Amino acid sequence: MNLRSPAFAILFSVSLIAAAGNMALQSVLPAIGREFQLSDTLVAGAFAISALMWTVASPFWARLSDRLGRKRVMMIGLGGFILSMSGFGLAATSGLEQWLNAGVAFILMAVARTVYGVFGSAAPIASQAYVADRTAPEQRTQAMSLLASAQGLGTVIGPALAPFFVLPMIGLAGPMYAFALFGVVVLVVVWRKLPSGEVVRTTSASGRQGHVGKGLWKDPRVRGYLLYGLFVTGAQAANISVLGFHIIDELGVAGLAAREAQPFIGIAMLAGAAATLMAQWGLIPLLKLQPADLMRWGAALALVGNLMSIAAPGYYGVVIGYAVVSMGVGFARPGFTAGSSLSVGPHEQGAIAGLMMSLAGLSFLAPPVIGVALYELAEPAPFIANAVLLAAATALCFLNPVLRRGPPDLPGRDETPSPETPPASQPGPEGNR
């Protein structure tokens, strides 16, 4: 696949809109929870069901994309995104305008996110598998990194645009309506413009496509990547979920209300995403980092960012610490995603894409709830817990023989993006993914 082709640009837009919408929602969620006068932990916990459904549904969409085709599954995922964002916006408006009791409105918001949990993983799985089908192994890291950069760019655009859609008539629900409309535009473009010709996918040794990838999570080739990814993405999910509440409380000391803190939350998320993109677009091509190197540097930088959050409380300390964490995860995600893809065969690409999406769901299942609960207990507690997770991820890079060696060498493989190609940022799981 030509990474400058219109088809790749469409795939890029699919990842971009999903990440931007989810991060826009994530940026306004703490303020909505405070407006509804709900416990911070309840706000985080109510959305764990969305992550659970994402985790459960991901392998199904991976297998279905093998049978039904990547484009059709991508369109199903975009449809789920549109339905979820518009439903969430309507429920939030009903609660904020007191058309419904805040508790009822919040339950409907959780239902809307559950819809995203069921369907949301379909589009990124199909996009990743679409690219894997059409790239040679020597192109894989470059292609996956560039696709991941769309989600990284989305984490910049979402929080940056969200405050502009908080309008007088629709309030904090505005960003959800806006990104639902953007999703409709992308869905139409995929339907009309994305080539639907399917490549011939190699079947498993048994010749039964439906059994490809079953039990792959236990395979020594990918087990280390999954464990590493779980540590890193779990820590990132806790950081994202705590960030808004942390900033509201820091600014509350100066007398700002939760709604007034919204632009500052957007600035913090924008700073984290921008730092990631800046590092990725500059440092990956400059240092010519391979998957194993990306994973080591990524976990170590994220560890440093959490230590900074412990040592330097206050708004500016929160922003800088979050930026360093985001930069680290930006290195790590393309590393373990490309490394795991390169470690399996062509007939297992749909399955490995499904596992990566399941990992994204798992990271937003328990860690955000635990992180916010720890934050309510003591301000530094979630950052201490994250530091432990990231120290374990860093150690795993050197202790696990598969991660230490990196993906198997292939003749003529050069995984470093060319100077003309912007490399990857981190995808936002669920927001952000």
Side-chain angles (χ1 to χ4, degrees):
M1 168 179 270
N2 184 346
L3 301 187
R4 297 180 182 275
S5 67
F8 191 86
I10 293 171
L11 298 176
F12 192 94
S13 68
V14 171
S15 297
L16 176 67
I17 195 64
N22 277 295
M23 289 304 289
L25 186 152
Q26 189 71 43
S27 73
V28 300
L29 181 59
I32 292 174
R34 292 289 176 89
E35 290 281 339
F36 284 1
Q37 298 182 339
L38 299 173
S39 161
D40 296 348
T41 304
L42 178 62
V43 172
F47 290 87
I49 185 65
S50 174
L52 175 61
M53 298 310 298
W54 176 288
T55 304
V56 171
S58 291
F60 168 78
W61 295 121
R63 292 193 296 270
L64 189 64
S65 76
D66 285 337
R67 299 196 304 271
L68 193 61
R70 312 306 192 196
K71 178 177 176 177
R72 291 176 182 174
V73 171
M74 210 177 301
M75 292 176 65
I76 292 171
L78 284 168
F81 171 81
I82 294 164
L83 181 61
S84 171
M85 293 296 285
S86 56
F88 190 102
L90 288 170
T93 298
S94 298
L96 293 169
E97 297 296 327
Q98 299 183 347
W99 300 337
L100 293 175
N101 175 271
V104 174
F106 191 74
I107 290 171
L108 292 176
M109 288 160 59
V111 170
R113 286 305 293 173
T114 302
V115 170
Y116 183 74
V118 173
F119 293 98
S121 62
I125 284 174
S127 298
Q128 181 177 325
Y130 191 105
V131 171
D133 287 341
R134 292 161 173 79
T135 54
E138 57 270 17
Q139 272 189 303
R140 192 71 46 76
T141 297
Q142 179 181 349
M144 293 296 187
S145 293
L146 185 54
L147 187 64
S149 74
Q151 299 189 29
L153 186 59
T155 64
V156 175
I157 292 174
L161 290 182
F164 293 102
F165 296 122
V166 180
L167 302 172
M169 294 295 294
I170 50 179
L172 292 169
M176 278 68 82
Y177 297 131
F179 282 99
L181 288 175
F182 295 153
V184 170
V185 173
V186 174
L187 176 59
V188 172
V189 171
V190 169
W191 173 46
R192 298 293 299 273
K193 301 295 184 181
L194 185 68
S196 58
E198 294 296 323
V199 301
V200 177
R201 287 182 284 277
T202 307
T203 59
S204 63
S206 67
R208 301 176 67 184
Q209 186 75 29
H211 291 277
V212 171
K214 287 193 174 181
L216 188 60
W217 64 275
K218 297 182 290 186
D219 194 311
R221 295 174 298 167
V222 300
R223 190 168 53 206
Y225 289 106
L226 291 171
L227 184 59
Y228 171 92
L230 189 61
F231 288 158
V232 171
T233 58
Q236 182 203 22
N239 280 120
I240 291 172
S241 299
V242 168
L243 179 66
F245 299 114
H246 198 178
I247 290 174
I248 288 172
D249 290 336
E250 292 294 340
L251 296 177
V253 175
L256 268 70
R259 188 183 290 261
E260 295 173 314
Q262 185 57 45
F264 294 92
I265 297 173
I267 290 170
M269 288 189 165
L270 177 62
T276 303
L277 288 175
M278 179 181 66
Q280 294 294 327
W281 288 0
L283 292 177
I284 284 183
L286 177 66
L287 300 177
K288 303 185 184 298
L289 298 176
Q290 304 297 320
D293 300 315
L294 289 170
M295 292 169 67
R296 292 166 189 161
W297 281 101
L301 276 171
L303 170 60
V304 169
N306 276 280
L307 294 176
M308 291 173 67
S309 297
I310 297 170
Y315 177 70
Y316 294 106
V318 171
V319 173
I320 294 171
Y322 180 72
V324 175
V325 169
S326 299
M327 183 186 301
V329 178
F331 279 113
R333 274 190 177 273
F336 73 78
T337 301
S340 60
S341 175
L342 288 163
S343 297
V344 301
H347 62 284
E348 297 168 302
Q349 292 303 320
I352 197 64
L355 278 177
M356 290 299 108
M357 290 304 111
S358 292
L359 191 68
L362 281 172
S363 69
F364 270 77
L365 186 54
V369 181
I370 295 172
V372 174
L374 287 173
Y375 174 73
E376 288 194 296
L377 183 65
E379 182 178 314
F383 307 110
I384 295 171
N386 279 351
V388 173
L389 280 178
L390 293 163
T394 305
L396 192 65
C397 292
F398 297 95
L399 298 178
N400 184 286
V402 174
L403 301 190
R404 189 170 61 246
R405 290 192 305 267
D409 287 332
L410 298 174
R413 186 177 80 193
D414 181 8
E415 298 166 1
T416 306
S418 68
E420 294 80 21
T421 302
S425 179
Q426 84 273 21
E430 276 257 286
N432 130 151
R433 194 271 149 166

